């Protein structure tokens, strides 16, 4: 039965699309790595929890075959922001995410410099209390 499970997962990996625009964050690539790790001995791998393994496969197979997309159709092909699927893909591409991270780092660095700068050495400012003494 382990061989059958292994073959089913391999078939699922073959069918699962890869998104080359999401290097290091692609679900298809992650799935392939997890299957390779879980089935280190291929068809001879001993499955410690066959029921959990089968549940995982069934869940992934439902996602891959768009069961929920068909069961709960959307009125529009946009998100609540009005961004289309293609625009969302473009925004989430690795290159754009890195650019966004760089911009955040620039903003973060600016804020840190602004709020963590030490006052220049000089005489302490007078307060009301020190003036009355």
């Amino acid at each position: 039965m382990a061989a059958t499970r292994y073959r089913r997962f391999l078939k699922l990996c073959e069918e699962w699309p890869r998104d080359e625009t999401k290097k290091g964050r692609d679900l298809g690539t992650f799935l392939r790595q997890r299957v390779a790790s879980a089935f280190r001995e291929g068809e001879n791998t001993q499955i410690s929890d066959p029921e959990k393994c089968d549940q995982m496969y069934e869940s992934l197979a439902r996602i891959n075959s768009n069961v929920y997309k068909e069961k709960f159709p959307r009125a529009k092909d946009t998100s609540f922001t009005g961004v289309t699927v293609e625009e969302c893909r473009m925004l989430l591409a690795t290159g754009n995410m890195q650019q966004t991270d760089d911009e955040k780092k620039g903003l973060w660095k600016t804020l840190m410099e602004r709020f963590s700068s030490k006052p220049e050495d000089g005489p302490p400012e007078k307060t009301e209390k020190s003036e009355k003494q």
Side-chain angles (χ1 to χ4, degrees):
M1 190 67 177
T4 303
R5 285 186 179 94
Y6 176 66
R7 281 187 238 118
R8 285 176 31 183
F9 270 99
L10 283 182
K11 186 171 179 358
L12 181 66
C13 287
E14 288 173 10
E15 294 172 0
W16 201 287
R18 284 189 188 177
D19 189 342
E20 297 299 326
T21 66
K22 295 181 181 175
K23 299 248 187 246
R25 301 177 298 118
D26 177 52
L27 185 57
T29 301
F30 176 76
L31 176 63
R32 286 166 179 79
Q33 291 168 348
R34 289 294 303 231
V35 168
S37 174
F39 291 93
R40 289 180 197 266
E41 297 175 32
E43 294 182 352
N44 298 322
T45 302
Q46 297 296 316
I47 307 294
S48 61
D49 190 346
E51 187 175 318
K52 186 175 179 181
C53 181
D54 291 342
Q55 287 174 345
M56 180 66 71
Y57 172 81
E58 293 301 328
S59 294
L60 290 168
R62 283 191 299 270
I63 292 169
N64 189 46
S65 62
N66 290 319
V67 167
Y68 299 108
K69 182 179 180 183
E70 293 170 13
K71 187 174 182 178
F72 305 103
R74 298 176 61 145
K76 297 179 181 179
D77 276 342
T78 61
S79 67
F80 71 96
T81 62
V83 176
T84 65
V85 172
E86 192 53 42
E87 290 168 332
C88 192
R89 277 192 185 112
M90 187 180 76
L91 290 170
L92 293 175
T94 300
N96 288 334
M97 295 296 288
Q98 287 173 341
Q99 181 180 352
T100 302
D101 286 347
D102 291 344
E103 290 169 5
K104 284 181 189 174
K105 286 178 190 171
L107 176 61
W108 179 250
K109 185 176 179 181
T110 302
L111 290 172
M112 288 301 293
E113 288 171 353
R114 183 175 296 160
F115 293 109
S116 69
S117 62
K118 296 177 183 173
E120 295 178 19
D121 291 336
E125 293 183 25
K126 292 183 180 180
T127 62
E128 266 186 54
K129 194 175 185 180
S130 63
E131 289 177 5
K132 290 181 181 177
Q133 292 178 352

